[in-house]
Amino acid sequence: MKVAWGVISWSTTSDNTNVLCLTDDNALLGSYTAKSIGIYACPSLNYLSPLQNSRGWSRRIRGVAMNGAVGGGRKYTGLPFTVWAATKTSDLNLPGPSESWVFIDEHPDSIDDTILYVNPGATNGTGQFTELPSGEHGGACGIAFADGPRRTPRKP
């Protein structure tokens, strides 16, 4: 079983710069992304702690997080209510794939693990972030939805 690893922090631990966290056999998406590590960080990601900066780092390895309610793996535990999770595309029916985000640029102060959670107790139609999206682009961030590219069927 593959496991996620590579906690991002303001410290100088090797997970902050270790490419293997994204590409080796333990990387959950590594085999699907052709080891293209650039997809895990926006080019504008340049926030470093003073200690990281003093060591000559140019950036941390990752700034993108996955929606905690999408995919398998560890979810919220010990809560008095059921937490919704989509493990396949057909689970995305309310909201649908075009309204279900999968990947998001996470704020440099809240990124830690590979997941960004929305508080499942605040599912009143708007949700509530427990970690923060990035605001590196004039108060906005990159976000990828589950519907993916549109394809036109071929004519016979």
Side-chain angles (χ1 to χ4, degrees), residues 15-67:
D15 282 353
N16 285 298
T17 57
N18 188 351
V19 173
L20 290 177
C21 293
L22 305 174
T23 60
D24 84 343
D25 289 339
N26 287 317
L28 297 172
L29 296 176
S31 63
Y32 299 100
T33 59
K35 302 186 187 232
S36 300
I37 62 168
I39 66 170
Y40 296 103
C42 175
S44 70
L45 180 68
N46 58 8
Y47 293 98
L48 296 169
S49 72
L51 187 55
Q52 292 167 343
N53 212 4
S54 72
R55 297 224 174 150
W57 293 13
S58 60
R59 62 188 305 172
R60 295 185 289 178
I61 193 69
R62 182 176 51 77
V64 172
M66 187 170 178
N67 184 339

Side-chain angles (χ1 to χ4, degrees), residues 68-84:
V70 175
R74 178 176 53 88
K75 302 292 177 206
Y76 289 100
T77 58
L79 298 175
F81 45 83
T82 303
V83 177
W84 176 84

Side-chain angles (χ1 to χ4, degrees), residues 111-125:
I111 194 163
D112 49 8
D113 53 16
T114 57
I115 301 167
L116 188 138
Y117 283 110
V118 175
N119 181 351
T123 54
N124 58 2

